[in-house]
Amino acid sequence: MNLADSEEMAAHLQLRGYTKTENLDDADLVLVNTCTVRDHAEHRALSFLGRLRQWKREKCGRKIIFAGCAAQRLGNKLKKTFPQLDLVSGAKEIDGFAELLDASGFFPPETAAHAANTKETGVTGYVTIMRGCDFACSYCIVPSVRGPVQCLPSKDILAKAAQKANQGYPEIMLLGQTVNAWKELDKTFADLLNDVSALPHVQRVRFVSPHPAFITPQFLACVENNAKIARHIHLPVQSGSSKVLRDMKRGYTRETLLEKLDALKARGFAVSTDLIVGFPTETEEDFEDTLSLVQQAGFSAAYCFKYSPRAGTPAAQMPLLPEKTLEKRLNILLNKVKGLAEAAYGAQAGKKKEVLMETPNKGRTSDNFWAETKKSYTIGTIVCSEVDQAKGTLLLMRD
Ligand code: 5AD
Ligand code: SF4
């Protein structure tokens, strides 16, 4: 989501005559797009902002824009602590970003003459389909910084996806905080997936991040019948203990979750996930449940986080577990998940795969494995081949 938002904001800057650079010394403007989901993320953004003070002093006219969720949470009071800031644009204000630039008076007005070709390298075009979240997970700051769910109209989504596909992105990635909560009257997320995948030139559709609550029989029936929907899902489960899931207010139990994971695996999906350790009510036994869930679920990857209290969330009122307990549990879990990716790659030998080429001889399979072909192919085409063997986290294909 942040990548897509950054691209959108960059496009508005390009329309005002800016071009992208990877080099801070060459830059006239830095846009810092931020995350606040854990304290660590916000802290990194703010310390980067601190370092930009010197950068700004080095050349007259340099500008700094601070955007995204940390900007939303901290607001204009940031300008007091960081006087080097020119503009603060919260995550909720992305639709008004162009107006904000124009109202600031710092930037040249939009001109068609400056309209740059914004095509990124790579094969995946991002399309935001919804923003915000209607859940109220007790640890999470997202609903308060991003607000309630706002679904984009299907006609705008399809127009954007068609545009991306025509620009040469054969893979479309649909984005949203709870992406599969998307709906429009009778239309569900499954219907939208079918519509996007039916657009000319769309070869593959991915989405991130879904919530387990919307992995419904209708969704499963849709993906089963639609081979263009990638066979990988990043489904954050957070914990393997029904008690902790209840205290987190996730709305599912270990048992209902395992049923959904089994249904996905039965349809050929590789599943990766997010896990939190050290939620305030997590006992040793609950943590063991998370370890056993990882074992049972066969995730292809898992991102593991130490619980981070976020101001204003219900869980932030609860007494914290000792830091050394969090450290210990995180290390045990990280050790447990360390081998997951290699094991998942190792289990692919002999299977037939469709590889969407991202370089002349490397690409991604539908179930999201990184694969290398023997021959060279045109970037953006899908190559059907059999897996010879895995080399670490790379599949070596026969063709
Ligand atoms: N502490 C730790 N991890 C968190 N996440 C969200 N909020 C918190 C928090 N307060 C994690 C979840 C989510 C991912 C994006 O960040 O695992 O899926
Ligand atoms: Fe946060 Fe829960 Fe919403 Fe995900 S579903 S964004 S964890 S409140």
Side-chain angles (χ1 to χ4, degrees):
M1 176 64 88
N2 262 21
L3 271 176
D5 286 354
S6 296
E7 270 185 32
E8 194 173 323
M9 289 186 279
H12 286 299
L13 290 165
Q14 283 171 325
L15 285 171
R16 285 159 183 79
Y18 287 88
T19 51
K20 281 191 202 169
T21 171
E22 296 292 316
N23 186 350
L24 212 51
D25 288 338
D26 293 340
D28 300 305
L29 176 143
V30 175
L31 186 144
V32 191
N33 193 16
T34 61
C35 173
T36 184
V37 77
R38 287 171 297 277
D39 186 53
H40 180 63
E42 190 173 293
H43 194 79
R44 275 175 52 201
L46 291 176
S47 55
F48 180 62
L49 187 55
R51 294 200 298 277
L52 286 178
R53 185 192 300 249
Q54 184 53 33
W55 168 85
K56 188 164 171 169
R57 278 200 199 120
E58 281 164 11
K59 195 170 151 194
C60 185
R62 282 179 164 172
K63 299 270 181 287
I64 305 173
I65 306 178
F66 198 70
C69 285
Q72 184 71 47
R73 195 180 90 80
L74 300 166
N76 273 316
K77 70 175 181 227
L78 275 166
K79 284 193 181 164
K80 286 210 181 84
T81 333
F82 299 96
Q84 68 269 40
L85 258 177
D86 295 287
L87 208 60
V88 176
S89 172
K92 282 187 199 163
E93 285 155 12
I94 180 123
D95 291 334
F97 185 69
E99 286 76 30
L100 196 75
L101 290 179
D102 292 340
S104 72
F106 294 149
F107 305 96
E110 186 177 317
T111 43
H114 281 137
N117 177 7
T118 57
K119 186 183 181 306
E120 303 285 307
T121 52
V123 295
T124 310
Y126 297 119
V127 179
T128 299
I129 68 162
M130 56 86 71
R131 296 182 184 279
C133 176
D134 284 344
F135 287 88
C137 301
S138 59
Y139 53 85
C140 184
I141 199 164
V142 168
S144 80
V145 288
R146 289 254 180 193
V149 166
Q150 282 181 299
C151 295
L152 274 83
S154 55
K155 79 171 185 356
D156 295 357
I157 295 169
L158 292 171
K160 184 78 183 273
Q163 185 198 2
K164 293 269 173 189
N166 288 333
Q167 280 174 353
Y169 295 102
E171 180 172 272
I172 300 295
M173 171 92 84
L174 303 179
L175 301 171
Q177 264 74 41
T178 49
V179 71
N180 52 347
W182 184 92
K183 65 178 186 324
E184 180 179 70
L185 303 173
D186 292 345
K187 228 176 172 176
T188 64
F189 179 64
D191 299 323
L192 184 69
L193 282 177
N194 281 333
D195 290 352
V196 171
S197 61
L199 292 168
H201 313 300
V202 172
Q203 309 241 36
R204 190 180 273 174
V205 184
R206 297 188 185 278
F207 52 86
V208 75
S209 278
H211 189 286
F214 303 101
I215 306 295
T216 58
Q218 195 227 2
F219 167 81
L220 292 167
C222 159
V223 294
E224 198 159 59
N225 294 317
N226 188 338
K228 285 193 180 170
I229 300 170
R231 263 37 187 175
H232 167 253
I233 188 164
H234 181 75
L235 189 68
V237 301
Q238 315 300 2
S239 168
S241 150
S242 290
K243 186 202 83 192
V244 171
L245 290 168
R246 182 199 65 205
D247 296 345
M248 288 177 162
K249 302 227 178 326
R250 290 289 294 173
Y252 52 84
T253 62
R254 177 191 175 96
E255 289 68 34
T256 54
L257 183 64
L258 279 167
E259 276 169 26
K260 291 184 179 187
L261 293 173
D262 285 344
L264 287 165
K265 280 188 286 174
R267 285 159 183 82
F269 274 81
V271 185
S272 56
T273 197
D274 290 347
L275 296 162
I276 298 177
V277 298
F279 185 79
T281 63
E282 186 186 78
T283 61
E284 279 299 323
E285 214 182 340
D286 296 319
F287 175 61
E288 294 288 332
D289 284 347
T290 296
L291 294 177
S292 76
L293 180 85
V294 170
Q295 185 77 36
Q296 225 174 316
F299 296 118
S300 58
Y303 299 99
C304 308
F305 307 107
K306 275 194 291 188
Y307 168 71
S308 164
R310 306 305 288 128
T313 59
Q317 310 285 329
M318 301 177 183
L320 292 175
L321 294 177
E323 178 61 23
K324 66 176 190 327
T325 306
L326 268 67
E327 291 276 344
K328 190 186 90 196
R329 290 184 189 168
L330 181 68
N331 282 331
I332 294 171
L333 184 62
L334 286 174
N335 262 326
K336 178 106 194 165
V337 306
K338 205 161 112 194
L340 287 184
E342 285 202 11
Y345 273 80
Q348 305 307 314
K351 295 190 184 168
K352 281 230 149 53
K353 301 275 173 191
E354 292 186 347
V355 184
L356 175 56
M357 304 310 291
E358 296 190 20
T359 74
N361 60 353
K362 283 208 180 107
R364 224 161 251 291
T365 65
S366 174
D367 43 6
N368 209 32
F369 295 103
W370 193 229
E372 187 177 78
T373 54
K374 286 212 175 83
K375 294 185 217 140
S376 290
Y377 296 92
T378 312
I379 293 172
T381 52
I382 288 189
V383 173
C384 298
S385 175
E386 194 183 299
V387 181
D388 183 9
Q389 52 168 307
K391 195 172 99 190
T393 49
L394 181 66
L395 299 180
L396 304 180
M397 308 304 289
R398 289 198 187 280
D399 272 21

Coordinates of all heavy atoms in Angstrom, one line a residue, residues 254-309:
R254 N -8.5 -20.6 16.4 CA -7.5 -21.4 15.8 C -8.2 -22.5 14.9 O -7.7 -22.7 13.8 CB -6.7 -22.1 16.9 CG -5.7 -23.1 16.4 CD -5.1 -23.9 17.6 NE -4.2 -24.9 17.1 CZ -2.9 -24.8 17.1 NH1 -2.3 -23.7 17.5 NH2 -2.1 -25.8 16.6
E255 N -9.3 -23.0 15.4 CA -9.9 -24.1 14.7 C -10.5 -23.6 13.3 O -10.3 -24.2 12.3 CB -11.0 -24.7 15.5 CG -10.5 -25.6 16.7 CD -9.8 -24.8 17.8 OE1 -10.3 -23.6 18.0 OE2 -8.8 -25.3 18.3
T256 N -11.3 -22.4 13.4 CA -11.9 -21.9 12.2 C -10.8 -21.5 11.2 O -10.9 -21.6 10.0 CB -12.9 -20.8 12.4 OG1 -12.2 -19.8 13.2 CG2 -14.1 -21.3 13.2
L257 N -9.7 -21.0 11.8 CA -8.6 -20.5 10.9 C -8.0 -21.7 10.2 O -7.7 -21.7 9.0 CB -7.5 -19.9 11.8 CG -6.3 -19.3 11.2 CD1 -6.7 -18.2 10.3 CD2 -5.3 -18.8 12.2
L258 N -7.8 -22.8 10.9 CA -7.1 -24.0 10.3 C -8.0 -24.6 9.2 O -7.5 -25.0 8.2 CB -6.8 -25.1 11.4 CG -5.5 -24.8 12.1 CD1 -5.4 -25.7 13.4 CD2 -4.3 -25.0 11.2
E259 N -9.3 -24.5 9.4 CA -10.2 -25.0 8.3 C -10.0 -24.1 7.1 O -10.0 -24.7 6.0 CB -11.7 -24.8 8.8 CG -12.2 -26.0 9.6 CD -13.6 -25.6 10.2 OE1 -14.3 -24.8 9.6 OE2 -13.9 -26.2 11.3
K260 N -9.9 -22.8 7.2 CA -9.7 -22.0 6.1 C -8.3 -22.2 5.4 O -8.2 -22.2 4.2 CB -9.9 -20.5 6.4 CG -11.3 -20.2 6.8 CD -11.6 -18.8 7.1 CE -13.1 -18.7 7.4 NZ -13.6 -17.3 7.6
L261 N -7.3 -22.4 6.2 CA -6.0 -22.6 5.7 C -6.0 -24.0 4.9 O -5.4 -24.0 3.8 CB -5.0 -22.7 6.8 CG -4.7 -21.4 7.5 CD1 -3.8 -21.6 8.7 CD2 -4.1 -20.3 6.6
D262 N -6.7 -25.0 5.4 CA -6.8 -26.2 4.7 C -7.5 -26.1 3.4 O -7.1 -26.6 2.4 CB -7.5 -27.3 5.6 CG -6.6 -27.8 6.7 OD1 -5.4 -27.6 6.6 OD2 -7.2 -28.4 7.7
A263 N -8.6 -25.3 3.4 CA -9.3 -25.1 2.2 C -8.5 -24.4 1.1 O -8.5 -24.7 -0.1 CB -10.6 -24.2 2.5
L264 N -7.6 -23.4 1.6 CA -6.8 -22.7 0.6 C -5.7 -23.7 0.1 O -5.4 -23.7 -1.1 CB -6.1 -21.5 1.3 CG -7.0 -20.3 1.6 CD1 -6.4 -19.4 2.6 CD2 -7.3 -19.6 0.3
K265 N -5.1 -24.5 1.0 CA -4.1 -25.4 0.5 C -4.6 -26.4 -0.4 O -4.0 -26.8 -1.4 CB -3.4 -26.1 1.8 CG -2.4 -25.1 2.4 CD -1.6 -25.8 3.5 CE -2.4 -26.0 4.7 NZ -1.8 -26.8 5.8
A266 N -5.9 -26.9 -0.2 CA -6.5 -27.9 -1.0 C -6.7 -27.3 -2.4 O -6.8 -28.1 -3.4 CB -7.8 -28.3 -0.5
R267 N -6.7 -26.0 -2.6 CA -6.8 -25.4 -3.9 C -5.5 -24.9 -4.5 O -5.4 -24.1 -5.3 CB -7.8 -24.2 -3.8 CG -9.3 -24.7 -3.7 CD -10.2 -23.7 -3.1 NE -11.6 -24.3 -3.0 CZ -12.0 -25.0 -2.0 NH1 -11.1 -25.4 -1.0 NH2 -13.2 -25.5 -2.0
G268 N -4.4 -25.4 -3.9 CA -3.1 -25.2 -4.4 C -2.5 -23.8 -4.0 O -1.5 -23.4 -4.6
F269 N -3.0 -23.2 -2.9 CA -2.4 -22.0 -2.5 C -1.2 -22.2 -1.6 O -1.3 -23.0 -0.6 CB -3.5 -21.1 -1.7 CG -4.4 -20.3 -2.6 CD1 -5.4 -20.9 -3.2 CD2 -4.1 -19.0 -2.8 CE1 -6.2 -20.2 -4.1 CE2 -4.9 -18.2 -3.6 CZ -6.0 -18.8 -4.3
A270 N -0.2 -21.4 -1.8 CA 0.9 -21.3 -0.8 C 0.4 -20.1 0.1 O -0.1 -19.1 -0.4 CB 2.2 -20.9 -1.5
V271 N 0.6 -20.3 1.4 CA 0.1 -19.3 2.3 C 1.3 -18.7 3.1 O 2.0 -19.5 3.7 CB -1.0 -19.8 3.3 CG1 -1.5 -18.7 4.2 CG2 -2.1 -20.5 2.5
S272 N 1.5 -17.4 3.1 CA 2.4 -16.8 4.0 C 1.6 -16.0 5.0 O 0.4 -15.7 4.9 CB 3.4 -15.9 3.3 OG 2.7 -15.0 2.5
T273 N 2.3 -15.5 6.1 CA 1.5 -14.9 7.2 C 2.3 -13.9 8.0 O 3.5 -13.7 7.8 CB 0.9 -16.0 8.1 OG1 -0.1 -15.4 8.9 CG2 2.0 -16.6 9.0
D274 N 1.6 -13.2 8.9 CA 2.2 -12.3 9.9 C 1.9 -12.9 11.3 O 0.7 -13.3 11.5 CB 1.6 -10.9 9.9 CG 2.0 -10.1 8.6 OD1 2.9 -10.5 7.9 OD2 1.3 -9.0 8.4
L275 N 2.8 -12.8 12.2 CA 2.6 -13.3 13.6 C 3.1 -12.3 14.6 O 4.2 -11.6 14.3 CB 3.3 -14.6 13.8 CG 2.9 -15.8 12.9 CD1 3.9 -16.9 12.9 CD2 1.6 -16.4 13.5
I276 N 2.4 -12.1 15.6 CA 2.8 -11.2 16.7 C 3.1 -12.0 17.9 O 2.3 -12.9 18.3 CB 1.7 -10.2 17.1 CG1 1.4 -9.3 15.9 CG2 2.1 -9.3 18.3 CD1 0.2 -8.3 16.1
V277 N 4.3 -11.8 18.5 CA 4.6 -12.5 19.8 C 4.6 -11.5 21.0 O 4.8 -10.3 20.8 CB 6.0 -13.2 19.8 CG1 6.1 -14.3 18.8 CG2 7.1 -12.2 19.7
G278 N 4.2 -12.0 22.2 CA 4.2 -11.2 23.4 C 3.0 -10.2 23.5 O 3.2 -9.2 24.2
F279 N 1.9 -10.6 22.9 CA 0.7 -9.8 23.2 C 0.5 -9.9 24.7 O 0.8 -10.9 25.3 CB -0.5 -10.4 22.5 CG -1.8 -9.6 22.6 CD1 -2.0 -8.5 21.9 CD2 -2.7 -10.0 23.6 CE1 -3.2 -7.7 22.1 CE2 -3.9 -9.3 23.7 CZ -4.1 -8.1 23.0
P280 N 0.0 -8.8 25.4 CA 0.0 -8.8 26.9 C -0.6 -10.0 27.6 O -0.1 -10.4 28.6 CB -0.9 -7.5 27.2 CG -0.6 -6.6 26.0 CD -0.5 -7.5 24.8
T281 N -1.6 -10.7 27.0 CA -2.2 -11.8 27.7 C -1.6 -13.2 27.2 O -2.1 -14.2 27.6 CB -3.7 -11.9 27.5 OG1 -4.0 -12.1 26.1 CG2 -4.4 -10.6 28.0
E282 N -0.5 -13.1 26.4 CA 0.0 -14.4 25.9 C 0.9 -15.1 27.0 O 1.9 -14.6 27.4 CB 0.9 -14.1 24.7 CG 1.5 -15.3 24.0 CD 2.4 -14.9 22.9 OE1 3.6 -14.6 23.2 OE2 2.1 -14.9 21.7
T283 N 0.4 -16.3 27.3 CA 1.2 -17.2 28.3 C 2.1 -18.0 27.5 O 2.1 -18.1 26.2 CB 0.3 -18.1 29.1 OG1 -0.4 -18.9 28.1 CG2 -0.8 -17.3 29.9
E284 N 3.0 -18.8 28.2 CA 3.9 -19.7 27.5 C 3.1 -20.7 26.7 O 3.5 -21.1 25.6 CB 4.7 -20.5 28.6 CG 6.0 -19.7 29.1 CD 7.0 -19.4 28.0 OE1 7.2 -20.2 27.1 OE2 7.5 -18.3 28.1
E285 N 2.0 -21.1 27.3 CA 1.1 -22.1 26.6 C 0.6 -21.5 25.3 O 0.5 -22.2 24.2 CB 0.0 -22.5 27.5 CG -0.4 -23.9 27.4 CD -1.6 -24.2 28.3 OE1 -1.8 -23.4 29.3 OE2 -2.3 -25.2 28.0
D286 N 0.1 -20.3 25.4 CA -0.4 -19.6 24.1 C 0.7 -19.5 23.1 O 0.4 -19.7 21.9 CB -0.9 -18.2 24.5 CG -2.1 -18.2 25.4 OD1 -3.0 -19.1 25.3 OD2 -2.1 -17.4 26.3
F287 N 1.9 -19.2 23.5 CA 3.0 -19.1 22.6 C 3.3 -20.4 21.9 O 3.5 -20.5 20.7 CB 4.2 -18.5 23.3 CG 5.4 -18.5 22.4 CD1 5.4 -17.7 21.3 CD2 6.6 -19.2 22.7 CE1 6.6 -17.7 20.4 CE2 7.7 -19.2 21.9 CZ 7.7 -18.4 20.8
E288 N 3.2 -21.5 22.7 CA 3.4 -22.8 22.2 C 2.3 -23.1 21.1 O 2.6 -23.8 20.1 CB 3.2 -23.9 23.3 CG 4.3 -23.9 24.4 CD 5.7 -24.4 23.8 OE1 5.7 -25.2 22.9 OE2 6.7 -23.9 24.4
D289 N 1.1 -22.6 21.3 CA 0.1 -22.8 20.3 C 0.4 -22.1 19.0 O 0.1 -22.6 17.9 CB -1.3 -22.2 20.8 CG -1.9 -23.1 21.8 OD1 -1.5 -24.2 22.0 OD2 -2.9 -22.6 22.5
T290 N 1.1 -20.9 19.1 CA 1.5 -20.3 17.8 C 2.6 -21.1 17.2 O 2.6 -21.3 15.9 CB 2.1 -18.9 18.2 OG1 1.0 -18.1 18.7 CG2 2.6 -18.2 16.9
L291 N 3.5 -21.7 17.9 CA 4.6 -22.5 17.4 C 3.9 -23.7 16.7 O 4.3 -24.1 15.6 CB 5.5 -23.0 18.4 CG 6.4 -21.9 19.1 CD1 7.3 -22.6 20.2 CD2 7.3 -21.3 18.1
S292 N 2.9 -24.3 17.3 CA 2.3 -25.5 16.7 C 1.5 -25.2 15.5 O 1.3 -25.9 14.6 CB 1.5 -26.3 17.8 OG 0.3 -25.7 18.0
L293 N 0.9 -24.0 15.5 CA 0.1 -23.5 14.3 C 1.1 -23.4 13.1 O 0.7 -23.9 12.0 CB -0.6 -22.2 14.6 CG -1.4 -21.7 13.3 CD1 -2.8 -22.4 13.3 CD2 -1.5 -20.2 13.3
V294 N 2.2 -22.8 13.4 CA 3.2 -22.7 12.3 C 3.6 -24.1 11.7 O 3.6 -24.3 10.5 CB 4.5 -22.0 12.8 CG1 5.6 -22.0 11.8 CG2 4.1 -20.5 13.1
Q295 N 3.8 -25.0 12.6 CA 4.1 -26.4 12.2 C 2.9 -27.0 11.4 O 3.2 -27.5 10.3 CB 4.2 -27.2 13.5 CG 4.7 -28.6 13.3 CD 6.2 -28.7 12.9 OE1 7.0 -27.9 13.5 NE2 6.6 -29.6 12.0
Q296 N 1.7 -26.8 11.9 CA 0.6 -27.5 11.3 C 0.2 -26.8 9.9 O -0.2 -27.5 9.0 CB -0.6 -27.3 12.2 CG -1.4 -28.6 12.4 CD -2.5 -28.4 13.5 OE1 -2.2 -27.9 14.5 NE2 -3.7 -28.8 13.2
A297 N 0.3 -25.5 9.9 CA -0.2 -24.8 8.7 C 0.7 -24.9 7.5 O 0.2 -24.7 6.4 CB -0.4 -23.3 9.1
G298 N 2.0 -25.1 7.7 CA 2.9 -25.2 6.6 C 3.0 -23.9 5.8 O 2.9 -23.9 4.6
F299 N 3.1 -22.8 6.5 CA 3.3 -21.5 5.8 C 4.5 -21.5 4.9 O 5.5 -22.1 5.3 CB 3.4 -20.4 6.8 CG 2.2 -20.2 7.7 CD1 2.2 -20.3 9.1 CD2 1.0 -19.8 7.1 CE1 1.1 -20.2 9.9 CE2 -0.2 -19.6 7.9 CZ -0.1 -19.8 9.3
S300 N 4.4 -20.7 3.8 CA 5.6 -20.7 3.0 C 6.6 -19.6 3.5 O 7.7 -19.5 3.1 CB 5.2 -20.4 1.5 OG 4.5 -19.2 1.4
A301 N 6.1 -18.7 4.3 CA 6.9 -17.6 4.9 C 6.1 -17.0 6.1 O 4.9 -17.1 6.0 CB 7.3 -16.5 3.9
A302 N 6.8 -16.5 7.1 CA 6.1 -15.8 8.1 C 6.9 -14.6 8.6 O 8.1 -14.7 8.9 CB 5.8 -16.7 9.3
Y303 N 6.2 -13.4 8.6 CA 6.9 -12.2 9.2 C 6.5 -12.2 10.7 O 5.3 -12.2 11.0 CB 6.4 -11.0 8.5 CG 6.7 -11.0 7.0 CD1 5.8 -11.4 6.0 CD2 8.0 -10.7 6.6 CE1 6.1 -11.5 4.7 CE2 8.4 -10.8 5.2 CZ 7.4 -11.2 4.3 OH 7.7 -11.2 3.0
C304 N 7.5 -12.1 11.5 CA 7.2 -12.1 13.0 C 7.6 -10.8 13.6 O 8.6 -10.2 13.4 CB 8.1 -13.2 13.6 SG 7.9 -14.8 12.7
F305 N 6.7 -10.3 14.5 CA 6.8 -9.1 15.1 C 6.7 -9.2 16.6 O 5.8 -9.9 17.1 CB 5.8 -8.1 14.6 CG 5.7 -7.9 13.1 CD1 4.7 -8.5 12.4 CD2 6.8 -7.3 12.4 CE1 4.7 -8.4 11.0 CE2 6.7 -7.2 11.0 CZ 5.7 -7.8 10.3
K306 N 7.5 -8.4 17.4 CA 7.3 -8.3 18.8 C 6.1 -7.3 19.0 O 6.0 -6.3 18.3 CB 8.5 -7.6 19.5 CG 9.6 -8.6 19.8 CD 10.6 -8.0 20.8 CE 11.4 -6.9 20.1 NZ 12.5 -6.4 20.9
Y307 N 5.2 -7.6 19.9 CA 4.1 -6.7 20.2 C 4.6 -5.4 20.5 O 5.6 -5.2 21.3 CB 3.3 -7.3 21.3 CG 2.3 -6.3 21.9 CD1 1.2 -5.9 21.1 CD2 2.5 -5.7 23.1 CE1 0.3 -5.0 21.6 CE2 1.6 -4.7 23.6 CZ 0.5 -4.4 22.8 OH -0.4 -3.4 23.2
S308 N 4.0 -4.3 19.9 CA 4.4 -2.9 20.2 C 3.2 -2.2 20.6 O 2.2 -2.1 19.8 CB 5.0 -2.4 18.9 OG 5.1 -1.0 18.9
P309 N 3.2 -1.7 21.8 CA 2.0 -0.9 22.3 C 1.8 0.4 21.5 O 2.7 1.1 21.4 CB 2.2 -0.7 23.8 CG 3.7 -0.8 23.9 CD 4.2 -1.7 22.9

